[in-house]
Structures are given as structure tokens and as C-alpha cells.
């Protein structure tokens, strides 16, 4: 054939392929989500093989392992005892609570590790919602934001580097920014869950934290989070959220879940110069693990290909439970 252009020329050898490769994964791109509880031993999580609810000591070991593999940021999620859960989730701003203690310990033991937090009420709420649920079953916005601000300040005071509001209340980024600044934490950043969808992919995470919405006698509790998390059918709406977050002072924007929402990452990439993070959520992790356990897929290849797809879509950072495995594989080359 008489072809002027043969794309295969640049695919012929590993050296040529490496020269024209557009995206690279690096351990420094990863944010490693970790679950912590009050127990003295680590507990396996059924739907998330390989992940654990760490004791405080176990957490420190896992964070140093991640550090040694080149991971430079962790995000901490608490499993809170039922007895501490209330309607307003006020345990979330207890400065002696599990998360502030965990942050302090991580910062003492591995001071270089960036620590990100989650801001939302669900692990602390007896109703299992990210906000306060009224007697009529409405998730209250402005009342919730006041509590979220106190939660963010407690986390900043413990030493958090990045505050991650995952609650999807309106106006929370601006309110948290102001609260942090007022308390002397203008150096603490906000990584906003900008486009967070009402997704079925969060199931294993809710099992890990025992944080799913739950009905209580005498109060109508919404069974899902669709009055605050976004409708999976909506793409344009993510741009509205992005515009607001940027105006309100977010430092990094996040899209969540990641894999089923690569188009959203790509759209935001075209609209903002801020760094974008993709959250490779618990359900995505569980699917890969389940298929790999059965020998149906090659776990290493599938994970690295998936993580690369986030970067190709336009993400700079990736929250992933595969962080340590992937960092290890990248080292082996
Ligand atoms: C809580 C929160 C959730 C996740 C992160 N923060 C669950 C939810 O919104 O119900 C999900 C993470 C995952 O599935 O890996 N606000």
C-alpha cells in the first residue's frame, strides 16, 4: 500500500512508544483513602479485600508503608461507635475525637505526609446522612454548613493540610474557607467534592463505616442521597458546581465516582485551571478485586490501565484504594 502516514511507525519499539507517551502515572499523583476505628486490632472489610479498618497503630504502619512507596497524601475516614452518633453529628467537631487524634499521630510520626480529611456528617449521624435531617425528613442545608465549618476547623487545628467537603451542601466551600481563615488557617487548602454523584458505587464504603442512611422509628429518613448528591443523568450541572466552587475558593476540584464519570473529568478540565482529582471509589475497587480473585482479569494490568484513564481524561490526582499496590507496581516498572 502507498500510505503517507503509518501510525504504527511510532508504536514499533518500547523506546519509540515511551517517547510519544502522553501520560504517566506516578505515586505522587495518588491520594490513599484509609479507614480508622477505635479498636486495637485491624479489621477486614468484606466488600473491600485488602482494605482494613485500621487501629491507630495499624494506621501509622500503613501510612509509613505508603510513604516508603512514594505516596504523599492520605485521606482519613472514621468508623464511629454507634453510641457517639447523634442527629446533628456533633462528634465530628470534637477535637479529642478519632479523626483529630489520628491526624495528630500521623503528623507526629510521618510529618512529610500530606493529610486530607473528609467533611460531612454521615459517619457521625444516627440517620446516616451527610447533613442534619429535619423531623419532616428534609436534609437541612444552612444548619448543616454551620456544623461542617466547625468540623473543618477541628481538623485544621489537628494539622490537616487539605479539607475535603464531600457533603454537597450549597455554599459550604465559601463558608469553610471563611471559617478556616477566621481561625488562622488560611494556609489550609480545600479539595472540594465538586461533582459528586448520587451513586450506587459507594456501597462498600458505607459498609466499611457502617454509614448508610437508616430509618429510625418516628422519623422519615430519605433512603438515598439524591436531594444533595448529583443526578447521574446530568453532565452540564457539573459545570455549575465547578463555577461555584471556583468562586467560593476551592483549591482543588474533585469528580466522584471516577470511572463512570470520565466525561465529567474531561468537561471540567476544559473549564478550570485548578488541579482536578478523580475518586476511584469503593465500588470500582470491589469490582476489580472480585474479578481478580476469580482469576478473570489481570489485576495489575487492569488497575494501572484504569488509573491511567483518569489522567488521560484530565485528572491530576487520583484518590484510590489501590494506591500502595499501584505505587509498588510502578517501581517494578
Ligand atoms: C461521605 C463519603 C462517601 C464517600 C466518600 N465520602 C459516601 C457517601 O457519600 O455516601 C464514598 C467513597 C467511596 O465509595 O469510596 N460523605
Amino acid at each position: 500500500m502507498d500510505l503517507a502516514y503509518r501510525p504504527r511507525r511510532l508504536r514499533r519499539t518500547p523506546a519509540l512508544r515511551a517517547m510519544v507517551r502522553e501520560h504517566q502515572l506516578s505515586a505522587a499523583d495518588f491520594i490513599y483513602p484509609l479507614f480508622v476505628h477505635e479498636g486495637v486490632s485491624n479489621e477486614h472489610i468484606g466488600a473491600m479485600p485488602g482494605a482494613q479498618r485500621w487501629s491507630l497503630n495499624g494506621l501509622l504502619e500503613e501510612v509509613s508503608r505508603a510513604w516508603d512507596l512514594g505516596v504523599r497524601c492520605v485521606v482519613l475516614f472514621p468508623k464511629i461507635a454507634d453510641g457517639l452518633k447523634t442527629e446533628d453529628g456533633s462528634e465530628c467537631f470534637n477535637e479529642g475525637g478519632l479523626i483529630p487524634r489520628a491526624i495528630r499521630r500521623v503528623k507526629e510520626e510521618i510529618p512529610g505526609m500530606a493529610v486530607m480529611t473528609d467533611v460531612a456528617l454521615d459517619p457521625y449521624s444516627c440517620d446516616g446522612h451527610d447533613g442534619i435531617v429535619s423531623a419532616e425528613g428534609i436534609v437541612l442545608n444552612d444548619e448543616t454548613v454551620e456544623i461542617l465549618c466547625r468540623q473543618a476547623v477541628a481538623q485544621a487545628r489537628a494539622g490537616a493540610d487539605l479539607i475535603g467537603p464531600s457533603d454537597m451542601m450549597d455554599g459550604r466551600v465559601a463558608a469553610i474557607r471563611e471559617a478556616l481563615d477566621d481561625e488562622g488557617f488560611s494556609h489550609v487548602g480545600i479539595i472540594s467534592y465538586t461533582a459528586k454523584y448520587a451513586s450506587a458505587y459507594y456501597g462498600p464504603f458505607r459498609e466499611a463505616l457502617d454509614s448508610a442512611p437508616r430509618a429510625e422509628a418516628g422519623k422519615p429518613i430519605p433512603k438515598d442521597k439524591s436531594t444533595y448528591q448529583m443526578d447521574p443523568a446530568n453532565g452540564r450541572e457539573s459545570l455549575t458546581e465547578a463555577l461555584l466552587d471556583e468562586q467560593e475558593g476551592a483549591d482543588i476540584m474533585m469528580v466522584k465516582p471516577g470511572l463512570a464519570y470520565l466525561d465529567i473529568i474531561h468537561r471540567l478540565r476544559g473549564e478550570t485551571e485548578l488541579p482536578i482529582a478523580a475518586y476511584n471509589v469503593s465500588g470500582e475497587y470491589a469490582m476489580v478485586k472480585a474479578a481478580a480473585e476469580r482469576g478473570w482479569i489481570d489485576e495489575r494490568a487492569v488497575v494501572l490501565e484504569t488509573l491511567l484513564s483518569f489522567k488521560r481524561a484530565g485528572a491530576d490526582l487520583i484518590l484510590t484504594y489501590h494506591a500502595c499496590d499501584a505505587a509498588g507496581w510502578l517501581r517494578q516498572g
Side-chain angles (χ1 to χ4, degrees):
M1 283 192 287
D2 180 17
L3 300 178
Y5 190 58
R6 290 178 180 267
R8 288 185 56 188
R9 284 182 197 125
L10 296 182
R11 297 178 198 144
R12 195 167 51 82
T13 70
L16 291 168
R17 289 196 295 275
M19 284 169 68
V20 298
R21 186 160 295 135
E22 296 174 36
H23 299 281
Q24 310 276 350
L25 280 173
S26 139
D29 304 329
F30 301 148
I31 299 177
Y32 185 26
L34 290 164
F35 303 109
V36 57
H37 73 151
E38 293 285 3
V40 289
S41 48
N42 306 323
E43 284 176 8
H44 294 286
I45 299 161
M48 298 184 73
Q52 316 252 3
R53 281 181 215 100
W54 300 99
S55 67
L56 273 180
N57 287 333
L59 176 76
L60 296 174
E61 281 167 29
E62 184 64 0
V63 175
S64 10
R65 187 173 80 92
W67 176 266
D68 291 341
L69 286 163
V71 175
R72 291 293 175 261
C73 186
V74 292
V75 51
L76 306 179
F77 296 99
K79 160 109 169 41
I80 299 295
D82 273 347
L84 291 175
K85 297 188 183 188
T86 56
E87 290 194 338
D88 68 355
S90 55
E91 173 65 14
C92 76
F93 56 78
N94 173 3
E95 290 183 12
L98 180 58
I99 284 295
R101 273 184 284 131
I103 299 171
R104 286 196 180 89
R105 292 289 303 279
V106 170
K107 283 293 180 180
E108 277 161 22
E109 304 276 331
I110 308 111
M113 185 66 94
V115 176
M116 171 184 163
T117 61
D118 193 69
V119 165
L121 300 188
D122 48 334
Y124 307 93
S125 152
C126 52
D127 302 327
H129 274 285
D130 293 27
I132 303 169
V133 186
S134 74
E136 296 74 35
I138 309 286
V139 177
L140 301 171
N141 195 87
D142 301 14
E143 293 81 347
T144 298
V145 170
E146 276 180 41
I147 301 208
L148 300 177
C149 289
R150 299 178 69 175
Q151 182 180 18
V153 168
Q155 295 168 346
R157 196 160 277 142
D161 299 282
L162 290 170
I163 304 295
S166 71
D167 54 285
M168 291 304 280
M169 297 300 120
D170 293 333
R172 91 279 208 211
V173 172
I176 291 172
R177 184 68 272 157
E178 195 184 329
L180 291 172
D181 291 353
D182 285 352
E183 296 291 327
F185 298 110
S186 57
H187 56 286
V188 172
I190 299 179
I191 172 166
S192 176
Y193 288 65
T194 295
K196 177 172 177 180
Y197 286 86
S199 169
Y201 282 97
Y202 308 148
F205 173 99
R206 293 180 190 168
E207 176 196 325
L209 297 188
D210 187 23
S211 62
R214 68 194 83 190
E216 217 184 301
K219 193 167 156 188
I221 303 294
K223 64 179 191 329
D224 61 32
K225 301 190 176 182
S226 52
T227 68
Y228 46 106
Q229 298 180 347
M230 290 171 59
D231 184 337
N234 292 357
R236 281 197 322 264
E237 193 184 349
S238 67
L239 303 182
T240 308
E241 289 284 2
L243 188 70
L244 288 168
D245 276 4
E246 202 160 322
Q247 286 167 356
E248 292 182 29
D251 299 283
I252 301 175
M253 294 196 191
M254 197 199 299
V255 174
K256 176 183 176 190
L259 207 42
Y261 298 84
L262 291 175
D263 59 319
I264 306 299
I265 298 172
H266 189 64
R267 282 170 94 148
L268 291 202
R269 183 68 292 160
E271 294 290 322
T272 180
E273 300 304 325
L274 292 178
I276 294 177
Y279 200 144
N280 176 214
V281 299
S282 58
E284 299 169 32
Y285 176 84
M287 292 194 301
V288 170
K289 284 288 182 183
E293 272 179 3
R294 285 162 182 74
W296 291 348
I297 57 168
D298 173 343
E299 180 176 359
R300 172 189 162 133
V302 165
V303 168
L304 292 176
E305 180 180 336
T306 302
L307 297 177
L308 194 58
S309 76
F310 296 127
K311 299 220 68 173
R312 196 186 61 242
D316 305 282
L317 301 166
I318 306 163
L319 290 87
T320 180
Y321 303 95
H322 300 289
C324 281
D325 285 344
W329 294 327
L330 291 172
R331 283 218 164 163
Q332 292 162 10

